[in-house]
Amino acid sequence: PDGAALVYVALAGGREELWRVPADGRAAPERLLTASGLFAPTVSPDGREVLFQRDVGGTWGIWAVPAHAPPRGAHVPRPVLV
């Protein structure tokens, strides 16, 4: 919301990856999530989460993950509206 970072989805190996990158380009991008069916990411108003649309088994919903990459491993998406 403050323009300090961009979030986007990129295709890698047949699956989508959700990324966050600082807008000034001074730090490396952070991969937040790798999954299928990710679409239209946006940052929450408080900047703490990234919300996105996701198709799970033919059902679309809105999901969220924290706005920064975990130290290792991967975030587990939290359903917001499914």
Side-chain angles (χ1 to χ4, degrees):
D2 62 6
L6 305 170
V7 292
Y8 62 94
V9 174
L11 186 61
R15 294 178 63 126
E16 290 87 11
E17 294 183 337
L18 178 61
W19 290 84
R20 178 188 179 277
V21 62
D24 64 11
R26 293 183 184 182
E30 298 177 290
R31 185 176 54 217
L32 303 177
L33 180 67
T34 300
S36 58
L38 304 178
F39 183 74
T42 190
V43 179
S44 65
D46 64 8
R48 295 176 59 198
E49 294 184 303
V50 175
L51 291 92
F52 52 90
Q53 293 179 22
R54 185 174 182 203
D55 176 7
V56 178
T59 301
W60 283 93
I62 298 174
W63 298 72
V65 293
H68 294 281
R72 61 181 161 217
H75 287 306
V76 175
R78 175 180 66 83
V80 175
L81 180 65
V82 180

